[in-house]
Amino acid sequence: KKRYALGSRWSKTELTYKIINRTPDLPADEVDRIITESIEKWADVSRLTFTLVTSGDADILISFAAGSHGDDGPFDGPGGVLAHAYYPSSNAIGGDAHFDEDEDYTDASSRGINMEWVAVHEFGHSLGLGHSQIEGAVMYPYYTGYVPNFQLNSDDIAGIQAHYGENVGE
Ligand SMILES: CC(C)C[C@H](CC(=O)NO)C(=O)N[C@H]1Cc2cn(c3ccccc23)CCCCCCNC1=O
Ligand SMILES: [Ca+2]
Ligand SMILES: [Zn+2]
């Protein structure tokens, strides 16, 4: 099966991210923790580093919205498309991740939609990964349900390392 796909990449490895708003489905501190843990999964296996910023601009802007939300990709209500994100680019929307607020985001539950899985997938796009046809890959285009303690698939890791190299530790 076709493995990972690559879109544009950032020309730098130190990236910033900012949480614009949060789903009310989970406590705010849990949303923040899930977002940070999700983006750090990609840093764990590459030379990327991420800094959360709370004011000013950032490379990756993270927001939740329902229906039409100011870009050319209106969301579709509960189910269907869960979220989308933009490949790296110099324009403002590059790298940004949008989550469909009409989903019921959950954590550590088979109910609803697992926030972490969706976040890891979207941040993959924010970093320049396309979709993979490997069913177990987080970059697979279909949400296949809650996976406790899920890890990046080897295909996901190969993809991010193709763009940003291996993590060489401190
Ligand atoms: C991978 C995920 C985190 C992000 C992707 C979108 C994406 O690639 N974002 O970067 C996603 O939402 N995929 C749909 C694909 C999809 C499945 N169906 C659909 C019905 C209508 C529209 C889309 C879909 C059938 C019904 C199930 C609907 C609920 C699950 N939805 C999906 O799996
Ligand atoms: Ca939806
Ligand atoms: Zn996707």
Side-chain angles (χ1 to χ4, degrees):
K1 280 199 179 262
K2 241 172 65 62
R3 50 170 182 46
Y4 66 85
L6 297 179
S8 54
R9 55 157 290 183
W10 295 99
S11 53
K12 54 188 177 179
T13 54
E14 294 78 28
L15 298 170
T16 54
Y17 65 104
K18 184 178 183 183
I19 301 169
I20 302 297
N21 65 350
R22 298 167 177 80
T23 174
D25 300 345
L26 292 161
D29 60 318
E30 220 172 294
V31 176
D32 292 3
R33 176 184 57 76
I34 292 167
I35 286 171
T36 294
E37 286 178 3
S38 298
I39 209 160
E40 286 298 328
K41 277 192 184 326
W42 296 110
D44 291 345
V45 295
S46 71
R47 299 177 67 91
L48 291 166
T49 65
F50 298 102
T51 304
L52 174 67
V53 298
T54 53
S55 64
D57 199 5
D59 299 309
I60 297 169
L61 300 181
I62 299 155
S63 59
F64 293 77
S68 294
H69 54 279
D71 65 12
D72 56 8
F75 284 130
D76 53 3
V81 174
L82 304 178
H84 58 221
Y86 294 85
Y87 284 150
S89 76
S90 53
N91 64 49
I93 204 160
D96 293 359
H98 299 164
F99 296 82
D100 187 348
E101 186 46 71
D102 278 334
E103 312 307 336
D104 174 23
Y105 289 107
T106 60
D107 180 47
S109 165
S110 52
R111 187 179 57 78
I113 298 293
N114 184 252
M115 175 78 224
E116 189 177 7
W117 182 279
V118 180
V120 176
H121 178 99
E122 298 313 327
F123 295 150
H125 290 316
S126 301
L127 300 171
L129 288 189
H131 287 147
S132 169
Q133 291 178 17
I134 309 281
E135 273 106 71
V138 83
M139 295 315 295
Y140 189 60
Y142 295 88
Y143 178 79
T144 53
Y146 171 56
V147 177
N149 311 311
F150 86 89
Q151 297 301 318
L152 292 179
N153 178 283
S154 56
D155 186 65
D156 302 311
I157 295 170
I160 202 72
Q161 291 182 345
H163 260 335
Y164 305 104
E166 292 184 41
N167 187 326
V168 291
E170 286 315 315

